[in-house]
Amino acid sequence: MPKLSDLYEHAARLRFAQREFVQSERYLRKSDALLASLGQGPLGNGRTNDVRDIVRALIGQHDWKKALYELDRIDNLAAQNGGPGVQQRIQMPMLRGIVYLHNGKLIDAIGLFDKAYANALGQYGQSHYYTAQAQ
């Protein structure tokens, strides 16, 4: 069954690349539901990766409220049950910055973009696309 989850995730990435964001989200939610049915907790690697990609699909749909809801939901779960590894996985500063910006949380968004820039600069260097994007 974990292979079926991988298949859903690959289909979601393909749909995302084709700018079919609604279908991408549907496949990701199927993957997440399958992982949950197999006993993976909501803060497991696969499921937090699915949340990240669901947020990306919601950004593609310009559904800023739902994207913020997903981030708030995973933050609440992590606050109750997560350790440092979970906190690291759910940071997503660039995605969060975009979502926060479009939900009027401007000061928070600026801080997240600064963090995304510092991360990208350290990992990829000055001339990389991710660095320029965050900058």
Side-chain angles (χ1 to χ4, degrees), residues 12 15-25 28 51-68 94-95 98-99 102:
R15 294 298 188 192
F16 186 89
Q18 295 171 325
R19 303 188 57 81
E20 296 175 9
F21 304 119
V22 172
Q23 190 62 37
S24 177
E25 179 192 358
L28 290 162
V51 168
R52 177 201 61 217
D53 291 343
I54 287 168
V55 169
R56 289 179 61 222
L58 291 167
I59 288 171
Q61 296 172 55
H62 297 179
D63 198 336
W64 308 112
K65 296 289 183 218
K66 280 187 185 174
L68 182 60
M94 189 67 188
L95 290 180
I98 292 168
V99 171
H102 286 279

Side-chain angles (χ1 to χ4, degrees), residues 118-132:
N119 290 348
L121 184 62
Q123 186 170 359
Y124 301 110
Q126 183 63 41
S127 61
H128 195 274
Y129 168 77
Y130 291 147
T131 307

